[in-house]
Amino acid sequence: MDNTPPLTDVPPDGGSTTNVRTLKYILIFLLSALPREIYLYFLLTLPLLYVSRVDEIFQEVERNKSAIEHKMANDVPPWQQTLAADSPGITRLVNSWGYFIDSSVKEWETLNIVSVLLSAAILTTLQIDGVVTDPYTRYFALLALVCSLMSLLYGCLYVIRFNAMRRTRKILKWAEVTQFKPKKARS
């Protein structure tokens, strides 16, 4: 008779490293990836729209960074620094940055209009006698009113701040501050 042990899938140490590794991946998924995905879908995946736009702009920045830094490094005071459209890459960058700012501001202005109309509708709803007496409807209407007013406030702040970011030199500062890495953002 042969005294060789039967072949099994369990490693000689009893499988503890495999179990620890599996448990580690499960915990990382449950504590890191899953909450991020839930948060992203709670926001209706809108941040992905902005990430894809910013990704394209920052790729242009990376391609033209040396030319931009060369133009910005001349002995010109910071308040007079502008990018001349000497190369096609810089022209493309200026155009894509302008388009990004314009489209973002238009979207937020549209959302501000929706928030104002929603606030007016909620205030009208709160004036109905039956709504005032029902606590659930009243509290949810007040919550919706607060949310629409917060949306209006943030929308106005975004419009004001992004209109101030029209200068092309702000692209480099924004890219450096966020330290955006396009390849890592997609994973």
Side-chain angles (χ1 to χ4, degrees):
M1 288 222 194
D2 191 14
N3 288 341
T4 58
L7 296 174
T8 61
D9 291 337
V10 179
D13 64 349
S16 64
T17 58
T18 307
N19 291 339
V20 170
R21 188 177 300 145
T22 305
L23 182 62
K24 179 181 171 183
Y25 288 132
I26 290 172
L27 284 175
I28 288 173
F29 174 74
L30 290 176
L31 298 177
S32 179
L34 187 63
R36 256 188 269 136
E37 290 296 318
I38 290 172
Y39 178 72
L40 185 63
Y41 285 114
F42 181 70
L43 295 175
L44 304 175
T45 66
L46 288 177
L48 289 178
L49 296 174
Y50 292 105
V51 166
S52 64
R53 290 183 196 171
V54 172
D55 184 20
E56 293 173 12
I57 292 171
F58 284 167
Q59 285 176 359
E60 285 290 326
V61 168
E62 288 300 319
R63 282 190 287 250
N64 299 307
K65 193 169 189 174
S66 62
I68 293 169
E69 287 175 345
H70 176 68
K71 288 187 180 297
M72 301 298 274
N74 294 337
D75 295 328
V76 179
W79 60 88
Q80 293 179 353
Q81 290 178 348
T82 57
L83 288 175
D86 293 341
S87 69
I90 292 178
T91 304
R92 225 178 12 256
L93 177 63
V94 169
N95 290 339
S96 64
W97 180 251
Y99 177 75
F100 172 70
I101 296 293
D102 289 339
S103 65
S104 297
V105 167
K106 285 178 185 176
E107 287 174 11
W108 290 326
E109 287 173 349
T110 304
L111 290 175
N112 284 348
I113 292 170
V114 170
S115 294
V116 167
L117 293 174
L118 184 62
S119 298
I122 293 169
L123 286 172
T124 304
T125 303
L126 284 171
Q127 294 175 356
I128 299 172
D129 290 333
V131 172
V132 175
T133 58
D134 184 25
Y136 293 115
T137 308
R138 181 179 62 226
Y139 291 128
F140 284 121
L142 288 174
L143 178 66
L145 181 64
V146 167
C147 289
S148 70
L149 291 176
M150 291 297 291
S151 170
L152 185 62
L153 174 70
Y154 283 120
C156 289
L157 289 175
Y158 289 154
V159 167
I160 291 168
R161 291 302 299 161
F162 260 71
N163 273 328
M165 291 181 68
R166 289 197 183 274
R167 293 189 191 125
T168 312
R169 66 182 171 87
K170 299 269 186 171
I171 302 170
L172 276 181
K173 288 182 182 179
W174 200 28
E176 288 173 5
V177 168
T178 58
Q179 296 176 352
F180 192 83
K181 306 288 187 231
K183 292 180 182 174
K184 291 192 177 197
R186 291 183 181 156
S187 58

